[in-house]
Amino acid sequence: MALNAPVGLSGEDRQKCAFTMTAKATNLNKHGAAIQLNRELMVGSTVVVRNKGGTQVSARVVAQLPTLQGVPTYAIEFAEHDDKVKTFWGITFPSAESKGPTAQAAEQSGIMRRRRTIPSLRD
């Protein structure tokens, strides 16, 4: 979702210096978010993300994204899979089961289209 949320972030930066600072989470989803902060992080490192309610979860830095307005931006995914993560953003994300048949069919046809464009190893 194209929503923004202030978060606290703790971890080690690219120079192995420990930090705790505020950051901006964007493009929230049930698996993580994009995080903007004035620190350079290592892809593959683990950080602790804290929401405005004080809930903390571990997350992995999975990619460095293009900078936004000169601020380094990273994709993170939650490393935990418990109830804290499900409610971390304070948003209820729709499940695949709750999508209507039309949305499910469109999603599946998109998947099938992508599968057809990937060359087979047998070719």
Side-chain angles (χ1 to χ4, degrees):
M1 296 184 130
L3 298 173
N4 298 328
V7 293
L9 204 66
S10 302
E12 285 188 351
D13 64 15
R14 191 177 294 270
Q15 287 75 35
K16 303 285 184 198
C17 294
F19 70 90
T20 298
M21 62 188 308
T22 59
K24 181 172 146 182
T26 63
N27 297 325
L28 311 181
N29 66 64
K30 64 182 172 182
H31 304 290
I35 300 288
Q36 295 177 293
L37 74 159
N38 287 312
R39 277 286 208 216
E40 291 193 19
L41 304 178
M42 290 287 296
V43 172
S45 64
T46 300
V47 293
V48 175
V49 187
R50 186 178 53 261
N51 67 14
K52 64 182 178 184
T55 302
Q56 297 185 148
V57 296
S58 295
R60 280 183 295 281
V61 178
V62 294
Q64 183 167 4
L65 304 173
T67 60
L68 294 172
Q69 300 167 344
V71 179
T73 305
Y74 300 89
I76 61 161
E77 70 176 358
F78 297 133
E80 302 174 32
H81 302 285
D82 56 13
D83 288 339
K84 282 192 310 186
V85 171
K86 291 177 184 173
T87 60
F88 187 79
W89 298 120
I91 299 169
T92 301
F93 293 96
S95 66
E97 296 84 40
S98 68
K99 292 179 181 177
T102 305
Q104 286 178 348
E107 185 174 288
Q108 288 173 350
S109 70
I111 290 169
M112 295 308 292
R113 237 181 282 119
R114 286 191 296 274
R115 284 186 185 156
R116 277 186 251 137
T117 62
I118 299 172
S120 169
L121 294 176
R122 292 175 284 180
D123 293 342

